[in-house]
């Protein structure tokens, strides 16, 4: 398999953690890509017209994206403990937690694009405030349900930890864990796993 | 079940088409919500800290989002033909097509927020061009694989048609189907289904 890849992307990190936990990482060839929304990557476009990482080309030649689809695909390839529970309430709770983690990350990325890439004279305060509110409310929700971040590893925990790892790496919102001790403890425990240590963001 | 709802949202439309096709729409109470990224909705925040529609509160009280998770949940509740194939290549192709449809829609929505909501003096050409390129390349890809839009109805076809229906409704990019005849024919056929006719965007 070939994976269009960036060491800074929280969504690529989700995929790589799933790959490592599933014992599949040695079967994935990583192809580094530079991705900026104002400078779309033509190299990626052949496999993914949305020009986003992660994009996975399977051994059969199928071109899969985005991170949720790739994580589901990888989780179907191994016979160990599933990272996406197969049915029942556990499944929907894990997928809802993944959507919450991804949603916080999406809003955080939009704030970073605004503050870090868009020329300063074009910033729009209402947009920054609206997206920041999603991030803050999302983090407060996670603090209130931090128990869901422990227990058998699942895709929701991975998505949340990747989002928070990315926030720390980019330092968009300061130390968001300082005022959320339960969330901080849960993330610290996840970050101890070899799959998380092997994929700490770099850029 | 209760669904936070907007008649203009392509993601709510996905959920409602799945609900109708699965015979579940009569069990869903629709709660209309106004959603604007620069004016976050406090009413929604109690069930979804990201303040987005669709958000589903199940009969057991679980609060599910986003559209992919809700569609998967609804598809698990009925015994008819599944809209998300359960395994194999058909599953990953349908989910990849959903991600492509959702990704085109996401990029289109960002362009609309920029052109329709953000004050004109704060527009950033490189951002608009980059997101527009994702939309155009995505549509060209769909034209080249329009055959995947016929055959038994699946979540990918639904996501693509909802994105294109939303683009027509908002008229962000003009008549994108005029130059893509295979895609136009596939979408026209999907729009003939009662579930699509019952959910045409309004606002």
């Amino acid at each position: 398999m070939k994976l269009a890849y960036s060491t800074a992307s929280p969504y690529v990190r989700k995929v790589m953690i799933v790959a490592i936990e599933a014992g599949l990482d040695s079967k994935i060839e990583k192809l580094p890509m530079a991705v900026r929304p104002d400078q779309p990557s033509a190299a990626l476009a052949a496999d993914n017209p949305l020009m986003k990482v992660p994009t996975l080309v399977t051994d059969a030649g199928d071109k899969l994206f985005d991170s949720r689809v790739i994580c589901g695909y990888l989780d179907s390839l191994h016979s160990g403990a599933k990272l996406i529970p197969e049915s029942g309430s556990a499944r929907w709770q894990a997928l809802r937690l993944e959507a919450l983690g991804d949603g916080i990350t999406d809003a955080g990325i939009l704030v970073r694009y605004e503050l870090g890439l868009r020329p300063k004279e074009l910033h729009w305060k209402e947009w920054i405030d609206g997206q920041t509110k999603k991030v803050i409310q999302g983090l407060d929700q996670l603090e209130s349900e931090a128990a869901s971040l422990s227990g058998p590893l699942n895709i929701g925990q991975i998505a949340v930890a990747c989002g928070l790892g990315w926030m720390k790496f980019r330092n968009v919102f300061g130390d968001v864990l300082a005022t959320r001790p339960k969330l901080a403890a849960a993330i610290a425990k996840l970050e101890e796993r070899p799959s998380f240590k092997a994929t700490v963001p770099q850029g």
Side-chain angles (χ1 to χ4, degrees), chain A residues 15-158:
Chain A
V15 167
M16 286 309 303
I17 288 172
V18 169
I20 294 168
E21 295 285 346
L24 294 164
D25 50 313
S26 66
K27 298 185 178 169
I28 294 176
E29 180 186 350
K30 294 184 268 190
L31 306 175
M33 297 277 168
V35 180
R36 273 181 58 156
D38 57 331
Q39 296 169 4
S41 163
L44 250 177
D47 292 332
N48 179 350
L50 304 172
M51 299 176 292
K52 289 184 177 179
V53 292
T55 297
L56 183 78
V57 181
T58 71
D59 290 340
D62 286 338
K63 297 162 180 181
L64 298 184
F65 51 88
D66 47 21
S67 72
R68 289 199 207 173
V69 178
I70 298 171
C71 289
Y73 174 72
L74 294 177
D75 202 37
S76 78
L77 295 183
H78 72 108
S79 53
K82 294 295 182 186
L83 298 164
I84 306 171
E86 294 184 276
S87 62
S89 177
R91 177 175 179 83
W92 308 113
Q93 287 307 316
L95 291 176
R96 174 260 183 201
L97 189 61
E98 182 183 24
L100 179 54
D102 286 355
I104 291 170
T105 309
D106 282 342
I109 289 174
L110 287 173
V111 172
R112 178 174 147 76
Y113 284 163
E114 184 91 12
L115 297 179
L117 293 182
R118 184 183 289 258
K120 195 171 181 183
E121 65 274 18
L122 305 182
H123 291 185
W124 183 26
K125 184 178 182 305
E126 285 76 3
W127 174 257
I128 298 167
D129 290 350
Q131 297 299 329
T132 299
K133 190 164 184 174
K134 292 176 193 284
V135 171
I136 298 304
Q137 289 184 171
L139 294 171
D140 289 343
Q141 177 64 34
L142 289 170
E143 175 70 5
S144 76
E145 59 178 86
S148 68
L149 294 167
S150 59
L153 185 67
N154 70 43
I155 191 67
Q157 298 163 7
I158 295 170

